[in-house]
Every structure is written in structure tokens, then in C-alpha cells.
């Protein structure tokens, strides 16, 4: 046979390498600050020598890059370019859901992504009511203080969160959590699938968020409102967010038909 096959699994070697490269890229995606080769090998369950060979190939394609002198690796600029090109798709695919959610709740809604220790707004719908929260597309906030960032941090293990964020954490308001409080809050979010904050990022403004695991990447969907109003309606808002998450992931989830 002209094509080499894996003896144990019967897969063509080329296909297996692609699958392993995908595992490594997903692991790096969950750890945007970067990982050592040993940490990657442990996370994906592959020998370090195998990881090294795949990393070398990915480096040549600029899909990964080295992080400082310590030998760490993170996602590279080529992937960033692909992600930027995909933003138009995620906006067009999710906008009808954002619009419906905003209309139903009469609150501002936004779609966000995590970049290093910041969360930035990719798209937003501003509520049509007298007292509302207005913010521009492209605005950033500390991930540890905004619900849209916290729900994405909750997708990481605590060890990665500690590596990503400074300690002590910057405190935009008196309600901002310290690192210990944040880690406890993230654990609750992992169980409930929802993150909330009331004035942790900006005085008088609160937010509730869910994570969206789509085939275009991991994003957060948030409802942003005055804290005085959001505190009274937090259960209703969280329920609506979870229902919207289910609809979006059923349509464009990482696994089709995901519920």
C-alpha cells in the first residue's frame, strides 16, 4: 500500500497527525497565555516527542508561536488572521438571536470574545428604552470583572486562570472580586453555566452571561443592564440566556445538534 496506516487504529498516518494537531490547537486555545511542551503533552495525552514534531510543523505555518525564552507555545498569528476573518460569520449567524433576546428582555445584549486578560465586544444590540446601557462595539473590559469574561475564564482550569491573570487583580470598583473570590465564583459558573456580576466592572452596571461553544470558536453572550433593575430580574435573565445558548449551539454548536 502506498499510504502508511496506524497499526492499532487503522487510520492513515496523515489523518491521525491532523487529529493530533487539532487536539494541540484546541489545548492552546483553552490556554491563551501559552503552554510548555510538557504541559501540552500532559493535556492531550501524547508523548512529548510527538508533540514536539507537530509543534514544529505548526510553527512553520505560523499556526503557533513561541512565548519568550522559557520555551512556551501559544496560538500564532495565522490563526488570529483566520479568527478575524471568521468574525463576520459569527456576527451574521448570531445577530438574529441577539436581537430576539434584547427585544424579549428589553435590555442591551452583546457578543464578546476573550483576548488575553481582556474581554472585547464583537457585536451588540442596544435596548430601546429610556434607562439603558449603551456601549460601543470593540470596547474592552477586564475579563475577571465582566460576566462575559468570567464565563469564558470558567472554561479554563484554575491553574490557567492563575497564569493568565495578575495577582492582585485590578479593581475597577469596590465590588470587584479578588483572585480567591473569583476562583470560587468561576466554580459556581461551571456548575450553573451562567456568570453574573453586579457592579464589578462599572459602578451601577451589571451583566449576566453564558458561553457559546460554536464551530467558529468560543464566545460569550451577555445581557448588560443597570444593576438596580438587573438584580430584580436576574433569574429571568439567566433563564432567557440559557435558552438562547441552547438555540444557538443547536444551530452552530461545535458538535451539530448540541443541546
Amino acid at each position: 500500500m502506498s499510504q502508511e496506516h496506524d497499526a492499532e487504529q487503522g487510520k492513515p498516518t496523515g489523518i491521525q497527525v491532523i487529529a493530533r494537531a487539532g487536539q494541540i490547537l484546541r489545548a492552546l486555545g483553552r490556554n491563551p497565555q501559552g503552554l510548555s511542551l510538557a504541559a501540552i503533552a500532559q493535556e492531550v495525552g501524547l508523548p512529548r516527542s510527538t508533540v514536539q514534531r507537530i509543534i514544529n510543523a505548526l510553527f512553520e505555518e505560523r499556526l503557533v508561536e513561541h512565548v519568550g525564552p522559557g520555551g512556551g507555545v501559544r496560538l500564532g498569528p495565522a490563526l488570529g488572521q483566520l479568527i478575524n476573518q471568521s468574525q463576520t460569520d459569527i456576527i451574521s449567524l448570531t445577530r438574529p438571536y441577539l436581537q430576539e433576546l434584547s427585544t424579549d428582555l428589553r435590555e442591551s445584549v452583546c457578543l464578546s470574545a476573550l483576548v488575553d486578560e481582556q474581554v472585547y465586544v464583537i457585536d451588540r444590540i442596544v435596548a430601546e428604552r429610556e434607562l439603558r446601557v449603551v456601549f460601543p462595539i470593540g470596547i474592552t473590559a477586564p475579563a475577571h470583572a465582566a460576566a462575559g469574561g468570567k464565563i469564558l475564564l470558567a472554561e479554563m482550569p484554575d491553574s490557567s486562570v492563575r497564569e493568565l491573570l495578575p495577582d492582585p487583580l485590578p479593581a475597577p470598583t469596590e465590588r470587584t472580586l479578588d483572585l480567591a473570590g473569583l476562583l470560587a465564583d468561576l466554580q459556581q459558573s461551571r456548575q450553573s453555566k451562567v456568570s453574573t456580576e453586579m457592579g464589578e466592572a462599572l459602578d451601577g452596571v451589571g451583566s449576566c452571561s453564558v458561553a457559546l461553544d460554536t464551530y467558529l470558536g468560543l464566545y460569550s453572550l451577555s445581557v448588560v443592564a443597570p444593576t438596580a433593575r438587573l438584580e430584580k430580574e436576574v433569574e429571568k435573565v439567566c433563564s432567557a440566556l440559557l435558552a438562547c445558548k441552547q438555540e444557538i449551539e443547536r444551530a452552530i454548536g461545535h458538535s451539530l445538534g448540541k443541546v
Side-chain angles (χ1 to χ4, degrees):
M1 294 178 66
S2 60
Q3 189 172 29
E4 185 180 350
H5 284 69
D6 181 89
E8 294 182 359
Q9 299 187 27
K11 291 183 180 179
T13 299
I15 294 176
Q16 189 179 58
V17 169
I18 293 171
R20 288 173 171 178
Q23 285 181 280
I24 291 171
L25 292 172
R26 285 192 291 272
L28 292 175
R30 293 190 296 270
N31 298 274
Q33 79 286 353
L35 292 172
S36 67
L37 292 179
I40 296 172
Q42 182 176 10
E43 183 152 344
V44 301
L46 293 172
R48 179 169 174 160
S49 59
T50 300
V51 171
Q52 178 71 75
R53 289 196 299 271
I54 295 174
I55 286 293
N56 289 343
L58 294 173
F59 179 77
E60 290 297 321
E61 298 298 326
R62 301 175 67 225
L63 293 171
V64 301
E65 63 182 7
H66 298 302
V67 184
V73 179
R74 65 185 177 192
L75 296 178
L79 267 180
Q81 293 168 2
L82 292 173
I83 291 171
N84 286 336
Q85 291 168 2
S86 74
Q87 299 304 328
T88 300
D89 292 333
I90 191 67
I91 290 171
S92 62
L93 290 169
T94 58
R95 178 165 270 266
Y97 299 96
L98 268 67
Q99 183 66 68
E100 182 177 3
L101 183 64
S102 178
T103 300
D104 289 347
L105 295 176
R106 299 185 64 225
E107 300 290 2
S108 297
V109 174
C110 67
L111 180 73
S112 305
L114 188 66
V115 178
D116 297 325
E117 73 280 7
Q118 299 283 317
V119 63
Y120 76 96
V121 173
I122 296 171
D123 193 22
R124 59 96 172 92
I125 305 293
V126 175
E128 294 296 334
R129 62 190 304 172
E130 291 183 1
L131 183 59
R132 58 185 182 170
V133 178
V134 181
F135 48 91
I137 294 173
I139 191 173
T140 62
H144 67 273
K150 292 200 293 183
I151 196 64
L152 295 177
L153 292 175
E155 295 292 316
M156 305 178 185
D158 283 353
S159 59
S160 297
V161 175
R162 289 192 183 96
E163 291 179 7
L164 177 64
L165 300 179
D167 187 15
L169 295 175
T173 77
E174 292 182 353
R175 293 191 176 189
T176 307
L177 301 176
D178 60 13
L179 185 58
L182 174 68
L183 293 176
D185 189 58
L186 296 184
Q187 185 56 38
Q188 292 182 351
S189 294
R190 292 181 186 114
Q191 297 173 358
S192 67
K193 305 301 181 184
V194 179
S195 178
T196 64
E197 60 86 12
M198 301 295 168
E200 294 176 30
L202 185 66
D203 285 324
V205 176
S207 56
C208 303
S209 303
V210 293
L212 300 177
D213 184 11
T214 78
Y215 63 75
L216 291 171
L218 188 65
Y219 300 89
S220 61
L221 174 64
S222 307
V223 172
V224 186
T227 52
R229 190 165 66 222
L230 188 57
E231 286 175 333
K232 297 177 182 178
E233 301 183 346
V234 64
E235 291 186 8
K236 174 184 176 181
V237 169
C238 289
S239 178
L241 277 167
L242 288 169
C244 190
K245 168 186 170 71
Q246 187 178 69
E247 291 180 8
I248 292 174
E249 290 185 345
R250 183 181 290 118
I252 60 170
H254 194 269
S255 299
L256 293 180
K258 180 177 179 179
V259 177

